[in-house]
Amino acid sequence: MPSQRMRNAELRDNILKAVYEDNLQITGQGRGKRRAPQAAGRSRRWTALMFLVPMFLFLPAMLNPSPSPVDEPRHVNQRARGSAVHGAIPPPPERQAAAPAPAETASVFSEEVFQDASYATDNEDLPPPDCMNYSFLLAGGDAVRLTSLFGLDVKTIVIDPGHGGIDAGAVGGSGVKEKNVTLDVALRLKSRLKKRGKYNVLLTREKDNFVSLAKRVEFANSVNTDLFVSIHVNSLPNRDVNVIETYYFGPPQNDETLRLAQRENKDSNYSIGELKAIIQDISDTVKRQESVRLARAIQDRLLSNVRNYDADVLDTGVKVAPFVVLLGVEAPSVLAEISCITNEEEEGKLASEEYREKIASFLEEGIVRYLTKKSIQHVRGDDDHERRHGG
Amino acid sequence: MSEGMEDRAVLNVGIDLGTSRSAISADNGRKKWVESYVGWPKDFIARKVVGKPVLFGEEALENRLSLNIYRPLERGVIKDGSARSEEAVKELIRHLIELVRTDESPGEVRAVVGVPAESFKINKLAIRKAVADYAGALMVVSEPFAVAYGVNALNNAMVIDIGAGTVDFCIMHGTVPSEDDQRTLLTGGDYIDQQLQSHLHERYPNADFTLNMVRRFKEQHSFVGAPDRAVEVEIPVAGRPTMHDVTEEMRRACESILPGLVETALELIANFDPEYQKKVRNNIILAGGGSQIRGLRERFEMSLREYGPCRVNCIEDPLFGGADGALALAVDMPDAYWEQS
Ligand SMILES: Nc1ncnc2c1ncn2[C@@H]1O[C@H](COP(=O)(O)OP(=O)(O)OP(=O)(O)O)[C@@H](O)[C@H]1O
Ligand SMILES: [Mg+2]
Ligand SMILES: [Zn+2]
């Protein structure tokens, strides 16, 4: 629209100049430079800027959705954050505070991204071998210790309390933090297993500190662990729900995975043929079979016991997800989501020592169940018969 | 490059840095957009899987299991001021510029970057720094202002940019809008998604859906007011795809943003003298992805009508409105200003 442009030429010039000056101010070059004609507007902008500089310094901290190292005020929920930032504007009605799962966007080491994917994953037992399409599985190779094959030798169990330190994990509505629950349950589980006298039980962290996933894996491998159990607490957008789920490592089984595979094969240094063979190979590894069994045992014990406390708890079963922490550990490894912190009732329970002790005992049951079953079954090496012979 | 000086010595680009989508328009005619996701492999293993040091948009999402994913402008501001989020902004800009640059493109890039109003207030310095590496000269403006400039709504107009993280209101009266001319609500597309998700959870507790799925449903079927037809979507139940009617939930979720829109528009307009109010009321422009909600323009206009005559229009190209406006700014900006920027 050239004619309109012409008519607006003067307006435009002023605006362009103002944009330019605004930007000079941003970089701090503004002071000595020319000022735009409208002096009144200018001075207003200057005051705004003076006001904004401190905002710039403090807001990141206020906005930070992940917890700060020092214990944050417990009730800083989304709503409070929203109004802190947006001043006079009231946040939208009701649910806004509740709805956004704080971890919908992934932060470093938040496994919530995985949970997202797990929705799309069936609960079927074993994925067909050709779904095992991760070239990075190659990195680990078949490093399962052969001794653990025969079930007689389980000595070291590594328990991995999820999150810690600056990484609080999921936080419930009244401030209960996943990192604290996982640590406490892990400590209880440790002392329970220790009492049995047969196991060397180690934790990836013993206190409230941050440990990277890589370090956890490294630790588990360095002590030659025989089992690895990672403990987490779920958080779901739907606050009414409580689910228990136990994962072992594997790709999610859906179209996305297949596309991922195609792309990876394209980029990887391996031919399709090589990959297929390796994938086939890995899909049969002992580590995987054992992880499935361990996951089933834990899921089963957790669920049937928790049912006594919450009849409505959902059983989403044993699931597959590519948690790096499960991949890296060379022993059978599972990750258990022992509860749902976004569920108010559950959060309340998790706050009680008694309930955490219970959960620890359920996990213990699951682990022990697995270990005893395993010593009976190790000879067979396939797991179809598990249900029939196992119970 | 040819010897004739026909070729431009600079590549002008306009960038719309959004919470959910970022778009770029260049004066070589190229336009691109990506979803504003930046993902880095979680570790060396994941690095091997994805085969790249950093991934963007759709591709990042598809590989989310292997990545630490950032949506750097969560809720309209650089997410937590963390180095990583700033880094993500930087990568995103670099990626966008690469997308429009051709072999013939001149080396020098001039960029005008439109960012959500909140981010403009809070993070503009950070954003400037992030972009500085890739553009010889750059300016940062607020997104609704870029939109307004692009559609030549320089005076007597109100732009409402319904984005993902935020809804930005901006009144134009012949100059760069000040704080008082702008408002931001958090009831944007993400908010609708959350609403819809929780409505769906309520109605279909056994169905499995992610926020991403919900967003896709919304983008296909969003509407307010009377439905044209029933909205049915496929959601897995126990792993099996099953059709679900979501008409009412969709309507409720989309309509949930209306009261805020009306109230805030009225409030902003009320700050001006009556003569001016009338003009602004007749020049309201809806922009951003959320402006595509079927029936929204009509319903919004109807509600405002209760307070006096008005006219609401939707911007033609909600995807590139911001980037095009920013590009117009870049092109129109006199060389002298660029040189000193
Ligand atoms: N047809 C549609 N109906 C409803 N919403 C839609 C439609 N298409 C896109 N959206 C929504 O619009 C939003 C994206 O819009 P836009 O690209 O303007 O946002 P943005 O610029 O990334 O966000 P912001 O301005 O807050 O930073 C998303 O929430 C998206 O789901
Ligand atoms: Mg936008
Ligand atoms: Zn966790």
Side-chain angles (χ1 to χ4, degrees):
Chain A
M1 294 168 266
S3 66
Q4 204 176 347
R5 282 213 157 193
M6 295 281 272
R7 255 186 287 133
N8 283 326
E10 199 179 328
L11 214 52
R12 240 167 234 286
D13 286 348
N14 284 337
I15 285 181
L16 291 169
K17 186 189 266 181
V19 168
Y20 158 68
E21 290 191 342
D22 250 13
N23 273 269
L24 283 185
Q25 288 182 3
I26 297 172
T27 46
Q29 304 170 358
R31 274 155 240 263
K33 304 269 174 169
R34 279 173 303 171
R35 294 291 176 77
Q38 318 95 307
R42 280 308 85 187
S43 61
R44 194 165 53 168
R45 205 161 291 127
W46 271 106
T47 33
L49 193 79
M50 284 158 64
F51 165 71
L52 282 170
V53 170
M55 290 279 279
F56 181 70
L57 295 174
F58 293 119
L59 264 161
M62 293 161 63
L63 284 167
N64 188 350
S66 60
S68 45
V70 243
D71 225 13
E72 60 185 353
R74 296 211 140 194
H75 298 281
V76 181
N77 58 19
Q78 302 287 357
R79 185 188 296 267
R81 275 191 210 116
S83 39
V85 179
H86 298 283
I89 306 145
E94 293 174 15
R95 281 185 177 274
Q96 197 210 6
E104 208 35 68
T105 352
S107 59
V108 193
F109 304 123
S110 95
E111 77 296 346
E112 273 71 14
V113 193
F114 295 135
Q115 289 168 12
D116 188 41
S118 69
Y119 279 122
T121 309
D122 319 338
N123 301 334
E124 291 310 311
D125 285 354
L126 290 174
D130 58 347
C131 279
M132 297 293 298
N133 46 39
Y134 285 103
S135 54
F136 62 75
L137 282 173
L138 303 178
D142 183 355
V144 176
R145 295 172 60 223
L146 286 180
T147 44
S148 63
L149 228 185
F150 299 100
L152 306 168
D153 168 67
V154 171
K155 288 206 182 80
T156 305
I157 300 174
V158 170
I159 301 165
D160 173 46
H163 311 277
I166 53 167
D167 174 14
V171 182
S174 40
V176 174
K177 289 175 185 161
E178 180 180 358
K179 64 170 183 179
N180 296 332
V181 174
T182 58
L183 179 58
D184 186 73
V185 169
L187 287 166
R188 290 170 192 277
L189 176 58
K190 174 182 173 176
S191 81
R192 286 181 155 272
L193 287 167
K194 281 221 127 161
K195 279 194 198 125
R196 292 176 174 263
K198 289 194 267 184
Y199 312 121
N200 173 26
V201 187
L202 301 166
L203 302 194
T204 53
R205 65 179 177 99
E206 302 254 357
K207 49 187 197 313
D208 184 15
N209 57 330
F210 176 81
V211 183
S212 73
L213 294 184
K215 278 267 172 324
R216 292 170 200 249
V217 171
E218 210 180 288
F219 171 75
N221 289 335
S222 73
V223 299
N224 278 332
T225 192
D226 297 287
L227 284 188
F228 181 86
V229 178
S230 186
I231 300 175
H232 285 254
V233 184
N234 227 326
S235 86
L236 292 175
N238 184 349
R239 317 199 128 207
D240 300 331
V241 173
N242 179 27
V243 301
I244 286 182
E245 45 198 12
T246 311
Y247 289 89
Y248 64 95
F249 179 84
Q253 304 152 265
N254 52 32
D255 291 350
E256 262 168 55
T257 318
L258 293 176
R259 265 182 283 131
L260 176 77
Q262 282 156 2
R263 220 184 14 260
E264 271 165 32
N265 294 352
K266 191 180 67 201
D267 290 346
S268 84
N269 299 321
Y270 299 91
S271 73
I272 302 269
E274 279 172 303
L275 271 178
K276 269 228 162 100
I278 295 157
I279 285 163
Q280 183 74 49
D281 200 39
I282 288 165
S283 68
D284 293 334
T285 56
V286 178
K287 169 182 167 181
R288 190 151 158 285
Q289 289 173 7
E290 292 302 311
S291 298
V292 177
R293 290 200 178 119
L294 176 58
R296 280 184 186 152
I298 289 181
Q299 176 73 12
D300 179 62
R301 290 336 296 150
L302 256 180
L303 189 82
S304 27
N305 281 304
V306 168
R307 280 246 160 89
N308 299 332
Y309 296 81
D310 175 5
D312 294 330
V313 63
L314 291 179
D315 176 14
T316 48
V318 166
K319 288 185 161 184
V320 187
F323 291 95
V324 166
V325 77
L326 299 185
L327 166 67
V329 177
E330 290 163 3
S333 324
V334 301
L335 183 149
E337 301 275 1
I338 56 173
S339 171
C340 230
I341 210 161
T342 34
N343 179 305
E344 208 179 305
E345 232 174 279
E346 281 298 303
E347 188 187 6
K349 284 193 240 160
L350 288 172
S352 96
E353 221 172 88
E354 203 189 318
Y355 191 67
R356 293 193 304 262
E357 185 66 41
K358 287 267 186 273
I359 295 276
S361 75
F362 306 156
L363 288 169
E364 180 193 16
E365 258 184 63
I367 292 170
V368 170
R369 163 83 57 110
Y370 162 76
L371 291 174
T372 44
K373 243 193 197 178
K374 189 168 131 95
S375 53
I376 301 166
Q377 288 186 353
H378 67 270
V379 201
R380 297 293 293 269
D382 85 55
D383 65 305
D384 283 10
H385 62 287
E386 183 191 340
R387 291 246 158 85
R388 277 176 276 129
H389 297 251
Chain B
M1 207 182 282
S2 72
E3 283 175 35
M5 292 315 290
E6 295 287 65
D7 286 352
R8 305 179 56 100
V10 294
L11 177 68
N12 286 299
V13 301
I15 293 174
D16 167 5
L17 201 58
T19 306
S20 95
R21 287 187 307 208
S22 294
I24 186 165
S25 272
D27 63 353
N28 61 8
R30 297 188 126 207
K31 291 178 182 217
K32 298 277 169 180
W33 68 274
V34 291
E35 294 194 63
S36 305
Y37 290 99
V38 179
W40 284 278
K42 283 171 189 278
D43 54 24
F44 68 99
I45 304 169
R47 170 72 181 78
K48 222 171 179 178
V49 177
V50 299
K52 293 177 189 169
V54 53
L55 282 76
F56 302 92
E58 190 74 23
E59 197 185 11
L61 268 191
E62 281 172 14
N63 288 285
R64 62 184 176 276
L65 301 168
S66 309
L67 307 176
N68 289 317
I69 294 202
Y70 289 79
R71 211 181 165 198
L73 296 185
E74 194 75 348
R75 282 159 197 277
V77 293
I78 287 191
K79 204 174 155 204
D80 46 17
S82 79
R84 231 36 214 305
S85 291
E86 282 182 34
E87 189 64 25
V89 169
K90 199 166 168 169
E91 289 288 355
L92 200 56
I93 301 264
R94 180 180 62 80
H95 180 64
L96 286 166
I97 293 177
E98 267 169 20
L99 286 176
V100 295
R101 211 203 276 272
T102 61
D103 290 345
E104 293 87 54
S105 295
E108 195 195 333
V109 176
R110 285 176 178 173
V112 170
V113 182
V115 298
E118 282 303 299
S119 189
F120 182 66
K121 287 200 298 194
I122 298 162
N123 308 122
K124 54 189 168 190
L125 183 58
I127 288 169
R128 269 199 72 101
K129 280 199 296 202
V131 185
D133 290 359
Y134 308 109
L138 83 128
M139 300 197 187
V140 182
V141 298
S142 91
E143 178 62 17
F145 166 73
V147 171
Y149 190 89
V151 297
N152 210 27
L154 305 182
N155 203 359
N156 308 329
M158 174 158 64
V159 168
I160 306 176
D161 181 15
I162 310 174
T166 57
V167 180
D168 291 333
F169 295 71
C170 168
I171 292 210
M172 293 294 295
H173 48 83
T175 182
V176 173
S178 71
E179 296 290 298
D180 303 344
D181 307 324
Q182 305 192 54
R183 282 291 149 79
T184 293
L185 299 182
L186 290 179
T187 44
D190 290 349
Y191 174 74
I192 297 178
D193 298 347
Q194 287 150 11
Q195 293 288 302
L196 184 54
Q197 189 184 39
S198 83
H199 296 333
L200 291 181
H201 263 302
E202 248 159 61
R203 177 146 168 213
Y204 301 114
N206 295 323
D208 284 343
F209 39 83
T210 63
L211 213 45
N212 279 331
M213 287 165 71
V214 168
R215 177 156 47 88
R216 304 249 140 86
F217 298 157
K218 177 197 68 181
E219 290 175 3
Q220 274 168 28
H221 304 289
S222 64
F223 76 97
V224 300
D228 284 358
R229 58 196 139 75
V231 177
E232 295 207 324
V233 297
E234 215 178 78
I235 312 176
V237 174
R240 211 168 334 106
T242 315
M243 290 308 276
H244 292 74
D245 179 293
V246 301
T247 317
E248 184 52 26
E249 286 72 21
M250 185 66 72
R251 189 186 59 72
R252 263 207 292 158
C254 293
E255 287 186 355
S256 69
I257 68 165
L258 264 167
L261 284 183
V262 175
E263 216 170 278
T264 310
L266 289 171
E267 226 176 82
L268 255 185
I269 296 174
N271 289 338
F272 294 85
D273 65 70
E275 193 48 34
Y276 188 76
Q277 284 186 25
K278 219 164 73 190
K279 290 182 182 163
V280 173
R281 234 201 270 279
N282 278 301
N283 197 6
I284 297 175
I285 298 157
L286 297 185
S291 68
Q292 297 171 89
I293 297 173
R294 201 153 32 85
L296 184 74
R297 189 200 68 79
E298 292 82 357
R299 278 293 291 266
F300 182 51
E301 192 177 80
M302 225 167 63
S303 307
L304 289 179
R305 281 248 162 87
E306 290 173 25
Y307 304 86
C310 71
R311 215 179 67 230
V312 179
N313 287 303
C314 286
I315 188 175
E316 259 173 47
D317 185 351
L319 195 48
F320 285 102
D324 286 345
L327 176 60
L329 276 163
V331 171
D332 291 353
M333 192 67 66
D335 285 348
Y337 289 171
W338 276 124
E339 272 146 31
Q340 293 173 55
S341 76

